[in-house]
Amino acid sequence: MKVTVVGLGLIGGSIAIDLRKAGVATELVGIDLNTNHALKAVELGLVDKILTEDKALSQADIVILAIPVNALCQLLPSVLDTVKSTAVVIDTGSTKSLICRTVAGHPKRSQLVAAHPIAGTENSGPEAAFSGLFRNKTNIICEKEKSSDHALEVAMRAFNALGLRTIFMEAEEHDKHVAYVSHLSHVSSFLLGQTVLDIEKDEKNIFALAGSGFASTVRLAKSSPEMWAPIFEQNQEYLSQALLEYIMHLQRFHYHLMKRDIKELNRIMSGANEIRRVLDGIELKTKIQNEMQQAEQPVKQ
């Protein structure tokens, strides 16, 4: 199948790599507003060539949209206008409600699969792309009932080739949940980094004292603001709610700290330790699923 990837950074580039490896893509065409990214993607072999938007979209069997969510809302209607009637369009946006509403009445809405493969790193650009980024990660499809059987079949073939585990949600439900488990953690990391930079003006002290705990906690602060600011804006309602609850917990912790109430601080932290049970359960589920997938693979003679 001819696959066109719009947005040749970490997400789009990594998708291209693994769709080629799996044989899903027989030809890969790229589109990127950043000329340097487009040239680098061809140089790295992420895509075979760069074409104009009209040519790349009109010839594609699958179109992957891996661009910031604000650009997605602007571009998606014209993408559906341009693609042929048998093409499947897959968006990878980290918010879903506004994107789905943008094309709710479009005559080709059934050709769209509104998806969110939850994977990434703090790095960006074509050089950041790598094989296996999505393996064993969760993928969410929203408004499944509005996508045609053909679109879902083609999309699932692509998602399975990437190694994703796909679940289904409504768009509002998706946005509420990711506000807590993804968007809030990015805000926390950005602001922790800013707090330390404000206090520690001497960078040598930061490098001298920053241990692995700080590095892992603030890692997400290296993420692209150009990508994350539109995500925060589009998910303002649910992210605002998550932030208020997070601030409430911080204020409660600060109150007991000022009271030197070690017993209550210990109780709060012990309660938070329950997250270990959740994470261990996720790891166990992933391990079992991997073993089942390996057992289902045919034995090579």
Side-chain angles (χ1 to χ4, degrees), residues 156-202:
M156 286 303 300
R157 182 181 171 193
F159 295 145
N160 290 337
L162 298 176
L164 286 160
R165 302 190 307 271
T166 298
I167 62 176
F168 303 93
M169 285 186 185
E170 290 306 310
E172 291 287 340
E173 180 186 15
H174 165 276
D175 287 1
K176 179 178 181 179
H177 292 332
V178 296
Y180 286 88
V181 299
S182 174
H183 302 171
L184 181 59
S185 60
H186 278 80
V187 173
S188 300
S189 188
F190 279 123
L191 297 186
L192 174 59
Q194 187 62 60
T195 300
V196 172
L197 289 171
D198 284 348
I199 295 172
E200 292 286 348
K201 298 300 182 183
D202 185 349

